[in-house]
Every structure is written in structure tokens, then in C-alpha cells.
């Protein structure tokens, strides 16, 4: 449970507000442009059912939320090849922009100081008319 500075429990809304004051969030178009131009790693943390229902963002790396820190920690033994250093600009996308804010706070604690998230998440991305492709389940051998 989050505890405020005066030691009283903080609710999730207060926690989100406090976390979001520590970095600059980005609009979907800015995230798209940065990822397209190779200036950021776009990471989709939505769970499988949402990806299957709504589709995928082309070029985004899919890392479910429960694996995020292990996959993006540049010092970690389970890191992705893309997790090249603490200066990597990571843009996290969740479904609506809530879980991604908490994920960014965790990435900041790992030293990924350029991590940010998309305001409104995947739903805002799609509403902005940015690229989405249908989810295709793996083909059976």
C-alpha cells in the first residue's frame, strides 16, 4: 500500500498524480514519431486478451507488465537485446494510460530515467488513427 509523506495511506489516484509529476508523458503521435524514427523503444504492456481483442502496434515490443523490469533492466540477466543501457528512451503503452504510469515509476527506480508513457494508452493511440494491425495467433506447426 502506498503511504503518503505524513504516513497515511495514499489512494491510487493520489499515487498516480504524484508519480506523473516526476516525468513528462507523451501524446500518441509523439510516441509514434519517436518510435518510427528510432529515437525510442515502444513497449506494449497490455495483457494478451487485450492485444487479441484490439490488435498490436506495429514495431512495439510486447512485454507483459509482470515481466517488464526483468526485460528492460540493462543489468539484468533476462533483459531484451533492445535494453542497451540506462539512457534508453522507453515509451510504455498500456490500455488506457494508468498501468503504464506505475510501470514508468518502476523503470525510473531501475535507472531508466528517460522512460515515459503514452497519455490515454492504446485506446488513445487507436483513436488518433495511428497504425494498428490485427493480432495473429502463432500458427501451429
Amino acid at each position: 500500500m502506498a503511504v503518503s509523506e505524513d504516513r497515511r495511506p495514499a489512494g491510487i489516484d493520489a499515487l498516480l498524480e504524484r508519480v506523473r509529476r516526476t516525468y513528462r508523458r507523451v501524446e500518441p503521435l509523439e510516441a509514434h514519431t519517436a518510435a518510427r524514427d528510432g529515437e525510442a523503444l515502444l513497449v506494449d504492456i497490455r495483457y494478451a486478451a487485450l492485444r487479441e481483442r484490439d490488435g498490436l502496434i506495429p514495431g512495439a515490443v510486447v512485454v507483459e507488465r509482470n515481466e517488464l523490469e526483468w526485460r528492460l533492466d540493462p543489468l539484468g540477466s533476462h533483459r531484451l537485446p533492445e535494453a542497451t543501457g540506462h539512457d534508453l528512451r522507453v515509451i510504455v503503452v498500456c490500455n488506457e494510460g494508468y498501468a503504464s504510469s506505475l510501470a514508468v515509476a518502476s523503470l525510473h527506480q531501475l535507472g531508466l530515467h528517460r522512460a515515459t508513457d503514452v497519455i490515454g494508452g492504446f485506446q488513445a493511440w487507436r483513436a488518433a488513427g495511428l497504425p494498428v494491425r490485427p493480432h495473429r495467433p502463432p500458427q501451429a506447426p
Side-chain angles (χ1 to χ4, degrees), residues 21-71:
R21 282 194 306 253
T22 67
Y23 66 97
R24 187 181 73 80
R25 303 177 77 210
V26 298
E27 295 288 342
L29 183 57
E30 182 180 349
H32 174 261
T33 301
R36 182 197 65 209
D37 294 349
E39 297 171 359
L41 177 66
L42 191 61
V43 179
D44 185 344
I45 64 169
R46 293 175 300 142
Y47 54 88
L50 289 176
R51 295 190 311 271
E52 291 168 9
R53 182 189 77 189
D54 294 336
L56 302 168
I57 297 172
V61 175
V62 174
V63 180
E64 289 198 19
R65 176 64 191 97
N66 64 322
E67 296 182 356
L68 185 68
E69 291 82 358
W70 284 268
R71 300 293 184 235

Side-chain angles (χ1 to χ4, degrees), residues 20-131:
R20 288 173 173 169
R21 282 194 306 253
T22 67
Y23 66 97
R24 187 181 73 80
R25 303 177 77 210
V26 298
E27 295 288 342
L29 183 57
E30 182 180 349
H32 174 261
T33 301
R36 182 197 65 209
D37 294 349
E39 297 171 359
L41 177 66
L42 191 61
V43 179
D44 185 344
I45 64 169
R46 293 175 300 142
Y47 54 88
L50 289 176
R51 295 190 311 271
E52 291 168 9
R53 182 189 77 189
D54 294 336
L56 302 168
I57 297 172
V61 175
V62 174
V63 180
E64 289 198 19
R65 176 64 191 97
N66 64 322
E67 296 182 356
L68 185 68
E69 291 82 358
W70 284 268
R71 300 293 184 235
L72 292 184
D73 179 3
L75 303 176
S77 59
H78 299 290
R79 71 184 175 276
L80 293 171
E82 294 89 348
T84 56
H86 288 97
D87 204 37
L88 178 67
R89 184 176 183 204
V90 175
I91 302 175
V92 181
V93 179
C94 69
N95 193 49
E96 294 181 337
Y98 296 99
S100 57
S101 294
L102 298 177
V104 166
S106 184
L107 294 176
H108 285 178
Q109 289 180 336
L110 288 175
L112 292 158
H113 60 93
R114 296 181 67 205
T116 188
D117 70 325
V118 175
I119 298 167
F122 178 86
Q123 297 306 322
W125 177 283
R126 183 171 59 184
L130 295 170

